[in-house]
Amino acid sequence: MTSASDLPQPVRLGTWPTPLEPMPRLAESLGLGAEDLWIKRDDLVGLGGGGNKARKLEWLCGAAVADDATHLVTTGAPQSNHARLTAAAGARLGLETVLVLAGAPDASAQGNLTLDALFGATCVWAGASDGPALAAAAEEVAARLRADGARPALLPFGGSNALGALGYAACGHELLTQAPDLDTVVVAMGSGGTMAGLVHTLGPQRVLGVHCGAVTDPVDAVAALVSDLSDAPFLPDSLRLRQDQVGEGYATLTDPVMAALNRTARTEGIVLDPVYTGRAMAGLVAAVADGDIVPGRRTVFLHTGGLPGLFGHTGALTATAADLTTRSRTL
């Protein structure tokens, strides 16, 4: 990574620091002490429905503004939280946003897609589902914009490069100020930048990532970003990364994830999403069960947002509708 003097100045997109709150009822339901489990509320950053991408976008958009960009271009799945927050950041900064999304248009436009439209983003449907094809489609879109005289800034998938990961390197310091006795922070691992930034500041033993199926090689993805941040080799084997919660794939809902959504909502009144934070909580539950997280030590669950995605996830909506039916009564 370049020296600090060469870095662009980040723009302000969120409200910091985000709260750190206890989760005593959830902790006790898992067999932990009431003071053992806390939640870092990065779902409450203020911008565009909240979520972890705001920290990354402060740096990425800072570089775009410094380059006099007119457009932000990025990629994602149809229910991408990163795409939604990029659109919100573009609206905040007065930049046009183009989202290059995998798949084909969905007439229902639920969840994050609803907010993409509200923020005025243009969606380009690439039809491709794999990373390289989607990246190539975004490059093509950016080239067309340049040919028309625009100055597009092409942001990486998930906002995850070394520059974007600086947002979570800073979050690591924020956490240490709020919880100096931090033992483990549990975080969803999507494109890798959030986990990498935390590992850079906190070290690999204090960060437990839960793979969500967004990339094919999560260990190497995180290790490469940590290496880029520190300009030094990083040993992938030192990472704590659970890969047991993906199930049949990124978009599928598993029973442990649905159970984690229900348990968190019914003990603490906090909503998780079925792709990222739900998997991270299912990983935390499994880590307590197998002894990787133990009573008497401070564990922090990083809530990376994603609430709009819950309303665009067919599996989760079907499961909650069925549960509502079983709990319904008539007078």
Side-chain angles (χ1 to χ4, degrees):
M1 184 116 191
T2 56
S3 66
S5 61
D6 296 326
L7 292 173
Q9 289 296 308
V11 294
R12 185 68 177 250
L13 296 174
T15 302
W16 320 114
T18 54
L20 183 69
E21 302 171 349
M23 302 182 83
R25 295 190 69 245
L26 178 58
E28 291 177 340
S29 80
L30 297 174
L32 300 174
E35 293 294 315
D36 292 344
L37 183 59
W38 294 66
I39 183 168
K40 176 69 168 162
R41 300 297 303 271
D42 272 17
D43 56 323
L44 302 180
V45 303
L47 178 74
N52 64 320
K53 306 303 182 182
R55 291 188 190 266
K56 301 178 184 181
L57 285 164
E58 289 195 332
W59 287 92
L60 297 169
C61 291
V65 169
D67 289 340
D68 293 323
T70 58
H71 291 66
L72 301 176
V73 180
T74 197
T75 62
Q79 288 298 326
S80 167
N81 297 307
H82 167 65
R84 180 245 309 164
L85 274 172
T86 299
R92 173 78 62 88
L93 297 170
L95 304 175
E96 296 293 328
T97 302
V98 182
L99 307 176
V100 183
L101 304 178
D106 183 347
S108 63
Q110 296 177 332
N112 278 311
L113 286 170
T114 301
L115 296 181
D116 295 341
L118 281 174
F119 297 134
T122 298
C123 294
V124 176
W125 295 93
S129 58
D130 68 321
L134 205 54
E139 291 279 4
E140 181 180 345
V141 167
R144 290 178 182 175
L145 287 169
R146 291 188 199 100
D148 290 337
R151 294 177 59 88
L154 189 56
L155 308 188
F157 173 72
S160 288
N161 59 13
L163 182 61
L166 286 174
Y168 272 90
C171 181
H173 292 294
E174 191 174 296
L175 267 172
L176 289 176
T177 298
Q178 293 173 314
D181 60 342
L182 173 69
D183 182 80
T184 298
V185 55
V186 180
V187 62
M189 187 268 150
S191 52
T194 299
M195 183 177 178
L198 293 171
V199 168
H200 178 69
T201 298
L202 302 174
Q205 292 309 304
R206 286 200 280 189
V207 182
L208 175 59
V210 182
H211 178 40
C212 297
V215 296
T216 57
D217 195 341
V219 174
D220 285 350
V222 175
L225 287 166
V226 178
S227 294
D228 287 345
L229 281 169
S230 58
D231 286 327
F234 178 81
L235 295 176
D237 290 347
S238 66
L239 292 172
R240 295 172 66 190
L241 182 60
R242 299 190 74 103
Q243 300 188 50
D244 57 347
Q245 300 301 323
V246 176
E248 295 181 3
Y250 171 85
T252 61
L253 179 67
T254 67
D255 290 342
V257 171
M258 193 67 227
L261 265 64
N262 285 333
R263 187 196 290 254
T264 306
R266 295 171 188 179
T267 57
E268 299 291 348
I270 290 175
V271 181
L272 306 179
D273 80 285
V275 175
Y276 293 104
T277 51
R279 279 193 171 98
M281 185 59 76
L284 188 155
V285 172
V288 173
D290 63 25
D292 191 27
I293 290 175
V294 298
R297 298 179 183 175
R298 170 106 69 157
T299 296
V300 172
F301 178 82
L302 181 61
H303 194 325
T304 53
L307 174 61
L310 174 65
F311 299 105
H313 195 286
T314 302
L317 294 178
T318 299
T320 53
D323 192 32
L324 179 62
T325 298
T326 64
R327 292 170 176 274
S328 295
R329 302 290 186 273
T330 57
L331 292 177

